[in-house]
Each structure stands twice: as structure tokens, then as C-alpha cells.
Amino acid sequence: MASSDTRRWWALGALALSVLVVGLDLTVLNLALPTLAADLHASTSDLQWFVDAYSLVLAAALLPAGLLGDRYGRKKLLTGALVVFGAASLACAYSRSPGELIAARSVLGLAAAVILPLSLAVIPVLFTAAERPRAIATVGGATFLGFPIGPLLGGWLLDHFWWGSVFLINVPVVVIALVAVVLLMPESRSARQLRLDVPGVLLSSGGLTALTYGVIRAGQNGWGNGTAVATMAGGLVLLAAFMLWERRVTGQVNGHPLIDLTLFRSQSFTWGTVLSTMVSFALFGILFGVPQYFRDVRGIDSFGSGLRLLPLIGGLAVGLAIGQRLQTPAKTSAGSPPGKPLVNAKILVTVGFAVMAAALAVGAGTSVSSGTGFGAAWFAVTGLGLGIAMPTALNAALGALSPERSGSGSALITAMRQVGATIGVAVLGTVLDSVYRSGLNVSGLPAAAADAARSSVAGGVAVAHAAGSPQLLHAVGVAYVHGLDVMLWVCAGIALASALLGLAFLPRSAAPPAGAGAPAGADALAGADGAPADGAAGEFRAGARTE
């Protein structure tokens, strides 16, 4: 029993490594874009596609990946995805043209679409309700750990090696995660042979891709851009058709829909998913805007910028520990149902978001001359609130999933979070950019220089250095910081709204999922022949078959 329990937690470590490698890839590419433009002779459009190809394929493949995991085995798909992710990372590192890199980034997005939802999907299977907060905190913490580690590693590698090295850092992490998954993680799948919902796959993939592409274009070209508006509208139409189709399939006797619409009858699932998405939305102000502040306004290199984000991780670690401890049900005697958590989910989510809102509001007082200590303090408190709110909201959503459909349910949660994060990037980026543009005085500059200065803070700094103008350099910094502060106020408002929504709608505790019965891995998961139907935890605890 002890060794089996230990093995489950080591398997969770493998899952944490899997999501960490995806987080690293999301952050290191942005650092390498200037070098890629020079070495691969990449145009501005190419640079955009280096980023967008990954996001679009990820959005398109998330929902099918979850269903395929339920049908064919989550370990099997996760193992294959890690192999593909490692191979695609090598292909990215040794690309010789923009086209090759775009293709390799697309394959990376495909692999990530499997890794992200399936890393969550096995949690309801491997762990009981009492253990789930700790498991979610581990995987969720690894997700956010990639944000400061990426700039640290990426900045150091770009200073000492060629640009391909930022992709090669994925490879050793993938190898370790792959070995751990193969050796430690049990296979699990649905007891039923789920048919692939082909119309649902086509409609959801097309809708999510179009919506994501439209939002990205709106963020780059303005929300009045005709192509962006038309693509977003087309995506919404396809997603509406997808929901109608899923509703029809759900009503059929032998229907196997791509997503289980009955999940939305659960307030825990609905609001847990919405609030875990809003966590990322509120956090975007730090992860996008603050590194540019350090790099372009304060003149600190990428490595130093990453170092200054570490207090966020320190606060996150403390918040995760507090939230996990307060969510863990009290121990009871053997054979008795688990006790109630020390603090219910509604209160924890509300408090976590309120702490985030207060910290972001303090951060909105950032100035050109703000010291590192000021930033470290509000970063740490933001991380504290994040660590309390994020796993609690995610646990509320996952707690509504039965092990039978944990793959497709986790994919739905991940898809909503991914689209929400993309919208957050576009909306908050537009707020920052519009305030910066309106606040920067470029009178007296040639038209080309004025356009370059207003295009971004990096462009403004470059123009000021080229002109040898300290006054313009100071004006660029002031305009950007004003935009950053306005954006952080918006983030604080989102966090406050999330706290109020959690207080109003999130149940105090999640009801057990339909058909789940006992905790994951118990006899309720046994099939008609008595073997574990979805049996990861059953393999550990009941001594059932392993694959």
C-alpha cells in the first residue's frame, strides 16, 4: 500500500514535468523573436505565425484529444504526445527557414493539446477527493512555474548560445517526463468504447480555431479590423452549431458527444471553470506587461527581468500550500466518509481573488522610478492570492467529473481556459497599447520615426536611442508605465469581479459527479466483469491489472 501510494505521487511528478515543459515553450519563444528575425530572415508576418501557429493548432486539437484519451488510454496518448513534443522541439531548434519553424511550431501545438488536458484528466482517476487539492496544486504550480523560469533560462541561453538552444531546453525535461510516465503512471480509459464524434470534432476545431485567430488579429490590428471581426463571427457561428449538434447527440440513446453538456448543470463545474479561466486573465497584466517594463523602461536584460518575477513564484508556493491545507478534508476513522474541509471552496476562492485584486491595485501605482522591492512585494502578494484561488477553482470543476469522462471534461476546461487566455492577451494588450499611444508625444519626429516610436515601447526606446534624445526616452517610459498602470487596474477589476462571482455562485462544496459513486479507484469504477473500468487508482489500491 505504501509503495503504491508513493508511486501515485511520483506519477503526479511526471505530469507536473509534462505541463512544465509546455509552460517553458510558451515563454522562451518571445525572447528569441528578434534573433529569429535576423538569422532566418523572417518577416513581421513570419514572426507572428511563429507564435500563432502554435496557438491555433492547440485550440483546434484540445477537445478531440480529451475524447481520444478517454477512448484509447490516457497514458498511451500522453506518452505519444511527449515523444512528439520532444521531436518537434528538435525540429524547431534546427529549422533553416521560417516555413520549417512554423511547421514545427504547429506540431508542438498539437502535442501540447494532448499534454495539457490529459495531465488534468488523470487526477480524478488517480486521487480521491481528499487528495485532489494537493494533486491540483502540484500540477497547477508547475504550469505557472514555467513563466519566470522561461525568461531566466531563455535569456541566459540567448546570451551564450544560438537561438535554437531555447527549444533544446525542452528535450531533457521531456525525456525525464517520458521515462517517469512510462514507468510510474498506470493506464486508464473509459470502460465504454466511445465512438468518435466526427461532426463535433470538425465544428469545435473550426470554431475554436477561427475564434482564436480572430482574437489574435484583433489584438494586432485593432478590434475594428474587418478580417478579425468576420473571423470571430464565423468562429462563434461554428461554436453555436457545435453546441446544437452536441445537444442533439446527447439526446440519442447510443450517442457519444464530444463534450458532456450535462456538466454545465453543475454549478461547481461551470463556475469552477469560469473562475479558473479568470485567474489567468487577471494574471496577464504581470506576465505580459511587467517584463517589458523591466526590459525597455528600466533597461534590465531578460535574465534580470526573470529574476525579478521570482517573488511571484514564492508567493504562489505559499498560497498553494495554504489553499491545499485548507481544502483537505479532515481525517476520519477507517471506513467513514471523509470529513469536511477546514474552509469551503466559496470562501477560499473569494479570499484568493480579493487578495489578487488588492495586490494588482497596489501594482497599478508603479512609476518609472519604482524600486525592485516595491515590485517584489506586490508580485509576492499576487502570487499568494493566485495560489489560493487557482487550485480551489480548478478543484471545484474537476470534482464534478466522473473518471469515465475525465479526459473530455478536462479538455473542455482546458479549452475554455486557453480561449479565455487568448482573449485576455488581446483585450488587455489593446488597453496597454492604446493608452501608451495616446500618451506619447511624438511631435517633431519624422513620420517614420513617429510611427516606430508609437508601435511599441521597444520601438520607442530604439527611436530615442537613435535620436540621442533623453527627453524622448523619458517620455516613452512615462507613457508605457501609464498604460501598464491602467491595464493593472483593469486586471484588479477582473480579480474583484471574480471574487464577487465566486461568492455569489460557487457552491460551498462540489456534489459528487453522476456515476462516480465512491472515490476514484474504488469498487464503483469496476465494470461488469468486476475489473476496474477506468482503473488507474484501482490498479494501485485493489491490485487490479496494469497495462
Side-chain angles (χ1 to χ4, degrees):
M1 177 74 74
S3 61
S4 296
D5 284 346
T6 301
R7 185 182 166 196
R8 285 188 300 126
W9 291 105
W10 279 108
L12 183 71
L15 299 176
L17 279 176
S18 301
V19 298
L20 174 61
V21 76
V22 175
L24 288 174
D25 187 75
L26 289 171
T27 53
V28 298
L29 177 66
N30 289 334
L31 296 174
L33 289 178
T35 308
L36 289 170
D39 290 0
L40 292 182
H41 306 290
S43 65
T44 300
S45 176
D46 291 331
L47 295 178
Q48 291 174 348
W49 276 108
F50 293 161
V51 177
D52 296 350
Y54 179 94
S55 300
L56 295 177
V57 174
L58 175 63
L62 275 170
L63 293 180
L67 179 63
L68 291 173
D70 287 337
R71 179 176 179 178
Y72 295 110
R74 298 166 192 127
K75 175 180 178 178
K76 188 178 299 180
L77 258 71
L78 187 58
T79 301
L82 286 169
V83 171
V84 171
F85 199 94
S89 297
L90 287 171
C92 287
Y94 293 103
S95 296
R96 294 169 296 179
S97 69
E100 289 183 10
L101 183 55
I102 291 170
R105 288 282 297 167
S106 299
V107 178
L108 273 178
L110 180 63
V114 178
I115 292 170
L116 290 175
L118 293 190
S119 296
L120 287 177
V122 299
I123 290 177
V125 181
L126 281 177
F127 301 99
T128 65
E131 297 166 330
R132 219 170 35 231
R134 181 181 171 192
I136 292 172
T138 301
V139 174
T143 302
F144 288 102
L145 196 60
F147 291 117
I149 289 180
L152 283 172
L153 278 177
W156 184 82
L157 289 170
L158 288 171
D159 287 342
H160 294 87
F161 303 98
W162 102 111
W163 60 264
S165 61
V166 301
F167 296 105
L168 290 183
I169 63 175
N170 294 338
V171 178
V173 184
V174 164
V175 170
I176 295 171
L178 183 61
V179 171
V181 166
V182 169
L183 295 180
L184 298 171
M185 183 176 158
E187 183 60 280
S188 64
R189 64 168 63 91
S190 173
R192 298 183 298 159
Q193 280 289 69
L194 302 173
R195 291 197 304 270
L196 187 61
D197 178 11
V198 176
V201 169
L202 295 176
L203 288 170
S204 67
S205 297
L208 288 172
T209 302
L211 179 60
T212 301
Y213 181 80
V215 169
I216 290 172
R217 284 290 163 266
Q220 293 171 347
N221 304 325
W223 291 88
N225 179 267
T227 301
V229 171
T231 309
M232 285 188 288
L236 291 174
V237 169
L238 287 174
L239 289 176
F242 167 67
M243 297 302 288
L244 291 174
W245 170 258
E246 294 299 286
R247 188 174 181 179
R248 176 185 174 188
V249 174
T250 301
Q252 296 175 353
V253 175
N254 295 316
H256 295 290
L258 186 61
I259 63 171
D260 184 0
L261 293 179
T262 61
L263 286 172
F264 290 105
R265 297 174 186 170
S266 164
Q267 280 192 307
S268 292
F269 179 84
T270 301
W271 289 104
T273 301
V274 169
L275 293 171
S276 64
T277 300
M278 294 179 77
V279 166
S280 301
F281 203 111
L283 189 65
F284 171 75
I286 298 178
L287 299 179
F288 176 78
V290 172
Q292 293 183 74
Y293 164 75
F294 284 134
R295 189 170 58 247
D296 296 315
V297 177
R298 298 274 302 275
I300 300 167
D301 60 19
S302 297
F303 184 80
S305 298
L307 278 177
R308 284 162 175 78
L309 286 175
L310 287 181
L312 177 69
I313 297 303
L316 175 65
V318 174
L320 288 173
I322 294 173
Q324 180 261 317
R325 177 69 184 89
L326 295 178
Q327 280 190 89
T328 302
K331 292 183 178 179
T332 57
S333 59
S336 301
K340 294 182 179 180
L342 294 176
V343 180
N344 65 60
K346 179 192 288 284
I347 299 302
L348 277 179
V349 167
T350 301
V351 169
F353 273 118
V355 170
M356 282 187 71
L360 289 165
V362 171
T366 300
S367 68
V368 174
S369 58
S370 292
T372 300
F374 172 77
W378 71 266
F379 293 166
V381 178
T382 302
L384 176 68
L386 171 67
I388 295 172
M390 180 270 297
T392 308
L394 198 53
N395 186 40
L398 288 177
L401 300 180
S402 68
E404 179 75 14
R405 294 298 297 268
S406 64
S408 54
S410 297
L412 179 57
I413 294 170
T414 307
M416 291 181 67
R417 293 176 68 195
Q418 177 65 26
V419 171
T422 303
I423 293 173
V425 169
V427 171
L428 295 173
T430 299
V431 170
L432 173 57
D433 186 58
S434 61
V435 175
Y436 167 74
R437 285 171 175 265
S438 63
L440 181 62
N441 184 359
V442 292
S443 58
L445 288 176
D451 289 341
R454 296 181 66 203
S455 65
S456 66
V457 63
V461 170
V463 170
H465 284 310
S469 173
Q471 294 82 7
L472 179 59
L473 185 63
H474 179 73
V476 167
V478 170
Y480 181 80
V481 169
H482 181 48
L484 177 67
D485 289 345
V486 172
M487 186 181 68
L488 289 175
W489 274 117
V490 175
C491 292
I494 293 167
L496 181 59
S498 302
L500 296 175
L501 289 172
L503 185 62
F505 297 110
L506 195 67
R508 292 179 178 274
S509 59
D523 292 339
L525 295 179
D529 59 356
D534 205 13
E539 292 164 11
F540 283 114
R541 297 180 190 158
R545 57 152 178 86
T546 54
E547 298 182 13

